[in-house]
Amino acid sequence: MFLETIMTPSDLKKLTFDQMERLAQEIRSYLLEVVSRTGGHLAPNLGVVELSIALHYVFNSPQDKIIWDVGHQSYVHKILTGRREELKTLRQFKGLSGFPKRSESVHDCFETGHSSTSISAALGFALARDLKQEKNSVIAVIGDGALTGGMAYEALNHAGQLGTRLIVILNDNEMSITRNVGAMSGYLSRLRTDPLYHRSKEDVREVLQRIPNIGPKMFKAAERFKDSVKYLLVSGMLFEELGFTYLGPIDGHNLRILNQVLERARLLPGPVLLHVKTIKGKGYPPAEKQPNKFHGIGPFDLKTGKTRPRRVPTFTEVFGKAVIKIAEDHPELVAITAAMSEGTGLCEFSRRYPRRFFDVGIAEQHAVTMAAGLAQTGCLPVVAIYSTFLQRAYDQIVHDVALQNLHIIFALDRAGIVGEDGETHQGVFDLSYLRHIPRMTVMAPRDQSELVAMLKSSLKYSGPIAIRYPRGSGPQEEVDYRLPVLPFGRGELLREGEDLVILAVGPLVYQALEAAEQLSMKGKEAAVINCRFVKPLDEELILEWSNRTKKVITIEENVIAGGFGSAVLELLADRGFNGEAARMGIPDSFLGHGAPDLLCRSIGLNAAGIIDLIKSKGWLDS
Ligand SMILES: Cc1ncc(C[n+]2csc(CCOP(=O)(O)OP(=O)(O)O)c2C)c(N)n1
Ligand SMILES: CC(=O)[C@@H](O)[C@H](O)COP(=O)(O)O
Ligand SMILES: [Mg+2]
């Protein structure tokens, strides 16, 4: 077993190519053994086994900097940099992160998680190196999906102009999470497959020279239009025009070729783009066949590739069904995703309404402003973007949507604690980054049926509307799709009580009810309000019960700073409230990875935490 001999990248350099090929097989088996138990991003990592080995063979991390775009494909890098054993704790509470983490290793030089950041970061490393007159290499590994993110072009544009030494490795497996989209994807596939694109200028000269009489003249004429010749016949013209030396496309599973071309790239003076062709899920037939399913997967049966069936409908599934039902009666409704059609539940919608479905690629900013154009022209866009990824489009929401007061429905999936994806993916800022935007409506359903009601109600409201809901199954096994339109801005009194009031947002309502039951057994009666609207607040209901009990607790799956609780404190302060209030939510720090209930418990964001808070305030005794 060569795998056990690899503790640092330098151990790799002792191996022959044949031994490295054996190592690649061992790594694949190990990935399958571990990820089938822990869950994780299996297919992306199976696709970069040889590339990761070759990178650490040719370059000298940590002196040479390797930045993994998105970073979901960094498990092999972690195995090669001394974390083979810790991989067994992958994505578990206090275990190894599923993304690069500087606290884990010096070889993780930059943290990623959101897409398309690697080239910008790499350019930063390269420029700092140049300023310090150092000589190390800087490498960004970016996927074809991540290359649909606009930030990548901002960086390519800048790097190409500066001409600094930088290596961008385009890991092209023709997949984002689902099949890749966009004109760039089409260009890359031509680079991969069209023989014409593989010819060099010399080949063209030879071909044209063979044509008697006119051949040489043609070549001279073509020479004059060198761009067209270069564009037509030299591979990777787009990148060359941006100032990069384009190498490839090469087989990303051939260690000898990888090592040879990486060695060449290492010695080139300016920015280089190496186009590498890989197979997402390579080496595990179920993943090769369904790279989307195995992009990010829960624990699964290695023999069958099957995951544990889920009984309770997820918020995502309910959203997907409800938006189709609504679309049947509203031809103006269009649905938009940013490369997350499966994750947001829009696949069936895309099949039913292909002309009313848009997958923009990993381009959240573009998605929002395109929605603004659609809304301005009579469509009703439903923009389904994870809470964390919508952070990318904050200014577009303010500048292109709210300012023009456009009627757009933002479906914020994965809002709240997502769990195993950790800090970069927790959807815990949206209540804070949305509620202060003028004209914005912000809602949070307590369960799947209320999500349906909010979607339907949003048709009757005006302006920009955000509905935020969590990852995974909701509390209901049966969903009622017939709920009536909700009264705008109104909360729901779920329980009366004279001793205190708990104002809860989303599914945390059920933790509040649980706490109220426990308090009742201690002789205290808590009122519980389902605060469906984070903006506008139901001021009347909140003030009534705050003044009545004089003790207020707010609880939300959002950072405490600037969230729902802050909005309530602002209201109470403005209205001269003279009681006591306490906020519960995510503390002012980044929440790591682990199972959501463990993470909630770790910060007391549950019924027990509510009781503990009440005890700490001495409210049980008063
Ligand atoms: C800003 C942002 N939007 C969406 C995502 C979700 N996401 C994670 S990986 C991925 C696809 C990446 O495709 P690619 O870069 O080709 O990598 P591959 O998985 O194919 O190796 C997407 C859309 C993200 N991480 N960041
Ligand atoms: C790496 C990445 O950003 C996505 O794959 C993300 O992990 C998907 O999250 P869900 O599993 O919640 O859809
Ligand atoms: Mg890809």
Side-chain angles (χ1 to χ4, degrees), residues 22 32 36 48 82 117 175 209 272 287 320 351 393 403 415 458 515 528 563:
R22 281 277 309 283
L32 285 165
S36 61
V48 296
T117 62
M175 294 295 290
Q209 304 287 27
V272 177
R351 282 187 281 274
L403 200 55
S458 298
V528 175

Side-chain angles (χ1 to χ4, degrees), residues 41 44 48 69-70 72-73 99 113-116 142-147 171 173 175-177 180 280 295 338-340 362-364 389 392 425:
H41 290 93
V48 296
D69 205 288
V70 181
H72 63 314
Q73 80 295 53
F99 297 91
H114 285 195
S115 175
S116 321
I142 185 167
D144 54 311
L147 198 63
N171 172 30
N173 52 25
M175 294 295 290
S176 186
I177 290 182
N180 203 1
K280 194 162 184 176
H295 168 84
M340 306 293 287
I362 308 179
E364 289 82 4
F389 300 142
R392 276 269 164 98
H425 285 62

Side-chain angles (χ1 to χ4, degrees), residues 277-339:
K277 293 188 301 181
T278 62
I279 297 167
K280 194 162 184 176
K282 173 127 179 117
Y284 183 57
E288 288 188 22
K289 209 158 69 194
Q290 292 183 289
N292 54 324
K293 175 185 169 189
F294 285 87
H295 168 84
I297 190 165
F300 64 94
D301 180 318
L302 207 43
K303 289 192 191 63
T304 64
K306 288 194 174 9
T307 50
R308 278 192 288 274
R310 213 183 359 227
R311 268 180 318 97
V312 180
T314 64
F315 281 90
T316 305
E317 286 159 352
V318 169
F319 164 74
K321 271 198 193 136
V323 78
I324 287 172
K325 288 177 186 289
I326 295 169
E328 282 157 9
D329 305 325
H330 290 270
E332 75 279 15
L333 188 150
V334 293
I336 300 169
T337 179

Side-chain angles (χ1 to χ4, degrees), residues 15-22 57 255-256 259-260:
L15 300 183
T16 65
F17 281 125
D18 288 343
Q19 289 171 335
M20 277 192 276
E21 272 158 12
R22 281 277 309 283
Y57 181 81
L255 275 166
R256 285 173 170 76
N259 283 293
Q260 184 192 349

